[in-house]
Amino acid sequence: MKYNPMNLPKLDYYINDFSGILSDSFRDKYNNLFSEHQNKSWEQIATVFIEHRDWNELKDIALKLFNENGIWEKETNNWLLLIVSTSEKKIRIMTGKWMELEFSDAYCSDIIELELRALLNDGEYEKLVQAWYEISTKKREIKKNETSIIWNTNNNIWNNNSNNITQNNNEKHNNFLNNLVVTVIIIFFILIFFSLINIGGCSSSNNYWDSSYDWGSNSTSDWGDSSSDWWSSSSDWGGGSSNAWWAGD
């Protein structure tokens, strides 16, 4: 019987085979197993097989099943749905709100790619249901292979790089603070040094402000006075007089 994927019958079972690929005995067995799991955990896990999508997205088909036909209790919202298009080899996992913490998008992707995809491509539908049951009910973890190892390795590399970047930033920050402290100390001592020099110069008998060796004049007259003009007199600071400001005593 051909089913319209957007108008499927009500889902009265945990295993719903609208593609006709499972035996009755197998379907009954896993209906009972998923029922027992719900009684123990209150988690509702369903599987739907359709033959084709008719150009619809599996997500849209699954949401319509939930909204109109689902076996799930909307109040608890702790459900999982595996939907498979057998002729197109398409597969998707949908999660209820309260299952998203354990069954994140990344984890669901790993379930499909590391466990279910190869069984779907090989047409091993009963083995696919068995693997789905064991993983979704947490009877076992997903199998690790080179893909997951590479994925984990890349994550470790990313984490290590992030830690190294953080450490380098901390070191740069500490170095900046250390350099700032050293610079402030140096400036402080330089200021003290020049302060001491100025204090000593003001008390000296050779003070360049008021001594007889005043760089502005060698007489009692003002340095701006014409008789002792700083650019024309015999006491010119640029000349060769013994009273020039750079000359010795």
Side-chain angles (χ1 to χ4, degrees):
M1 180 178 180
K2 185 176 181 179
Y3 292 95
N4 180 352
M6 296 302 292
N7 190 26
L8 296 171
K10 183 179 180 180
L11 304 184
D12 291 325
Y13 306 98
Y14 298 93
I15 305 295
N16 300 271
D17 181 17
F18 300 116
S19 189
I21 44 87
L22 301 176
S23 66
D24 291 343
S25 59
F26 180 86
R27 188 173 61 249
D28 291 342
K29 174 184 177 181
Y30 278 90
N31 274 328
N32 291 332
L33 289 174
F34 278 115
S35 177
E36 291 174 2
H37 175 74
Q38 180 180 346
N39 292 335
K40 295 177 181 178
S41 66
W42 295 95
E43 295 173 352
Q44 300 171 326
I45 304 171
T47 305
V48 175
F49 289 97
I50 59 175
E51 187 176 356
H52 53 79
R53 298 174 299 157
D54 276 351
W55 305 103
N56 297 292
E57 295 294 332
L58 285 179
K59 178 180 179 180
D60 295 332
I61 298 171
L63 289 175
K64 193 169 188 299
L65 285 171
F66 171 74
N67 291 327
E68 297 181 2
N69 304 308
I71 62 173
W72 313 287
E73 298 176 8
K74 295 183 180 180
E75 292 78 11
T76 57
N77 213 6
N78 56 345
W79 53 270
L80 291 173
L81 170 64
L82 174 69
I83 184 167
V84 180
S85 173
T86 56
S87 64
E88 300 162 303
K89 307 300 183 185
K90 299 291 184 180
I91 186 170
R92 188 180 183 104
I93 297 173
M94 302 288 290
T95 61
K97 179 179 179 180
W98 297 108
M99 299 289 281
E100 291 177 353
L101 184 61
E102 287 187 272
F103 290 85
S104 64
D105 290 344
Y107 185 56
C108 288
S109 177
D110 280 349
I111 292 174
I112 291 174
E113 299 305 328
L114 302 181
E115 291 278 356
L116 306 183
R117 177 76 68 189
L119 296 173
L120 174 61
N121 291 339
D122 293 341
E124 298 285 354
Y125 301 113
E126 292 189 355
K127 290 183 179 180
L128 185 151
V129 172
Q130 180 180 355
W132 170 239
Y133 167 76
E134 292 172 353
I135 296 169
S136 63
T137 60
K138 297 174 278 293
K139 302 293 184 184
R140 68 172 175 85
E141 298 291 332
I142 59 176
K143 296 176 181 177
K144 305 296 183 181
N145 62 9
E146 292 180 358
T147 303
S148 61
I149 292 173
I150 292 173
W151 186 84
N152 290 329
T153 301
N154 288 336
N155 275 347
N156 289 334
I157 292 173
W158 169 257
N159 290 332
N160 289 335
N161 287 339
S162 298
N163 292 334
N164 289 337
I165 291 172
T166 301
Q167 183 177 357
N168 290 336
N169 288 337
N170 290 336
E171 290 177 355
K172 290 179 180 179
H173 179 71
N174 291 335
N175 289 337
F176 172 78
L177 292 178
N178 291 336
N179 291 336
L180 180 62
V181 170
V182 171
T183 302
V184 170
I185 293 173
I186 292 174
I187 293 174
F188 177 75
F189 280 106
I190 290 174
L191 292 174
I192 292 176
F193 176 75
F194 280 106
S195 296
L196 293 174
I197 290 177
N198 289 335
I199 293 171
C202 288
S203 62
S204 170
S205 61
N206 294 325
N207 187 293
Y208 63 87
W209 287 112
D210 57 3
S211 74
S212 60
Y213 297 100
D214 183 6
W215 63 273
S217 174
N218 64 350
S219 69
T220 58
S221 61
D222 185 68
W223 62 272
D225 185 83
S226 61
S227 64
S228 301
D229 188 59
W230 59 275
W231 60 48
S232 61
S233 72
S234 60
S235 301
D236 184 7
W237 62 271
S241 169
S242 61
N243 291 328
W245 65 274
W246 62 73
D249 188 357

